[in-house]
Amino acid sequence: VSTQSTGILGKLFLKSLCRETNKATNKSNMSSTESAEAIEKKPEVRKPSQLKSLLSGGFGGVCLVFVGHPFDLIKVRLQTASASQYKGAVDCFKQTVAKDGVRGLYRGMGAPLTGITPIFSICFWGYDIGERIARWAAGTAPNQQLSMTQVMFAGGFSAIPTTAIMAPGERIKVVLQIQGQNPGETPKFKGPIDVIKHLYKEGGIRSIFRGTNATLLRDVPGSVAWFGVYEYLKRQSGTTTPNPFYTLFAGGMAGIANWLIAIPADVIKSRFQTAPQGKYSGVIDVTRDLLKEQGVKGLYKGVAPALLRAFPANAACFFGVELARSTLDKVW
C-alpha cells in the first residue's frame, strides 16, 4: 500500500509540475510577443537623404499647384482688388469664370508650376538640414525620433533657403493673377518671361525680388505650424508606416494651421508685390496704409479661399511627398 501511495503521489507531483511548467512557458511566450509588438510599434525613423528630400518635395509641390491654384488666384484677387469690386470669394469666382472661363482660374499658373519643383524641393531639403542641425544641437541619435520642438525648428528653418526662389516666384505669380480683374482691362503680360522682362526694366533685380522680407515674415512662422501640425497628427495615428488616410488628413490640417498664422503677412506681401513702383517704402508702410484704409479686417482679406485651398492642396502635397519618398526608398 505504501509503495502504491508513493507511486500515486509521484504521478500527481509530476502532473502538477508539468502544469506549472506550461504556465511559465505561456507567460514567457506572451512576454516575448508583447516585447515584439512593442518593438513593432516603435516609430519608424527614416534615414536622412538630401537627394530623396529634394525629389519627393518637388513632386509634392507639383501636386499642390494643380489642386490649389484656382483657390490661390481668387485669394490674390480679393486681397488686391478695391473694397467694392467683389462681394466675396464666390462672387470673385463667378466673375472670373464669366470673363475668362475655367482656364481663367489657372491664370498665372506657369510661374508657380515652373518654380514649384525647386521651391518645394528646397523646402524639404531645408527641413532635412534643419533636422540635422536640431540633432547636432541636442545630441540626438540619427535613429532617434525628433521631439516636436525639434520638428518645429526644422520647419521654420526650411523657409529660409526656400525664400530665395519663393519671393521672385510669388512676385511674378501675383502680377499675372491680378491682370484683367478691373472692368475693361485687358491682360498686359503674356506670361512669366514677359513679367520678368518688365520688372527688370522697371527696377532691376531688386524689383523682381520685391517682397522678400514679407515672404520670410509669412513663411517662417507658417512653416513652423505646417511641419509641426503634420508631424504631430501623423504620430497620433499610431501607425509605423505612411497611411494614405492619415497622410491626407494630417496634410490638410497642416495647411489650415499654416494659413491661419500666415494670412496677415500674405495680405501685406500681395499688396506690396502688386503695388506700382515707389508706392510703398516697405512692409511697415504697407501695413500702416492697409490698417488705415480697411482696419484689422483688411489683414484677413482672402482668408476664405486660402482656407478652402489649404486642406485639399496641402493634403495633395504631403500625399505626393510620402508617395514619392516611399517609392524612392524601395528603389534605393
Side-chain angles (χ1 to χ4, degrees), residues 13-194:
F13 174 75
L14 288 172
K15 286 181 179 180
S16 175
L17 182 63
C18 286
R19 278 198 299 269
E20 293 301 319
T21 303
N22 288 335
K23 285 181 181 179
T25 302
N26 289 336
K27 285 182 179 179
S28 177
N29 289 337
M30 286 177 66
S31 178
S32 299
T33 303
E34 289 173 357
S35 299
E37 288 177 353
I39 292 171
E40 287 176 2
K41 290 181 180 179
K42 186 177 179 180
E44 180 185 358
V45 179
R46 281 174 170 159
K47 292 181 180 179
S49 171
Q50 294 184 36
L51 180 58
K52 289 180 181 179
S53 295
L54 283 165
L55 295 174
S56 59
F59 182 72
V62 171
C63 294
L64 181 143
V65 172
F66 272 110
V67 174
H69 189 78
F71 297 97
D72 188 65
L73 179 134
I74 293 169
K75 170 184 70 69
V76 170
R77 290 194 166 190
L78 285 171
Q79 289 174 343
T80 57
S82 61
S84 59
Q85 187 166 348
Y86 302 117
K87 296 176 183 177
V90 175
D91 185 41
C92 181
F93 172 82
K94 288 179 179 178
Q95 288 193 40
T96 301
V97 174
K99 186 174 181 181
D100 302 321
V102 176
R103 289 183 64 183
L105 294 172
Y106 288 89
R107 186 188 294 275
M109 192 177 75
L113 193 59
T114 303
I116 210 69
T117 300
I119 285 171
F120 274 81
S121 291
I122 291 173
C123 176
F124 280 87
W125 169 78
Y127 180 76
D128 185 80
I129 297 297
E131 278 190 329
R132 290 167 185 262
I133 294 172
R135 289 184 185 281
W136 170 79
T140 308
N143 61 343
Q144 185 179 344
Q145 190 178 54
L146 292 175
S147 68
M148 286 307 304
T149 302
Q150 290 173 312
V151 168
M152 289 188 288
F153 166 81
F157 182 86
S158 71
I160 297 172
T162 305
T163 300
I165 296 177
M166 179 72 82
E170 287 277 296
R171 168 84 155 126
I172 296 162
K173 181 196 73 174
V174 295
V175 168
L176 285 168
Q177 285 179 331
I178 65 168
Q179 284 193 115
Q181 69 174 339
N182 296 319
E185 182 186 357
T186 55
K188 184 178 179 181
F189 305 109
K190 297 176 182 178
I193 301 299
D194 200 18

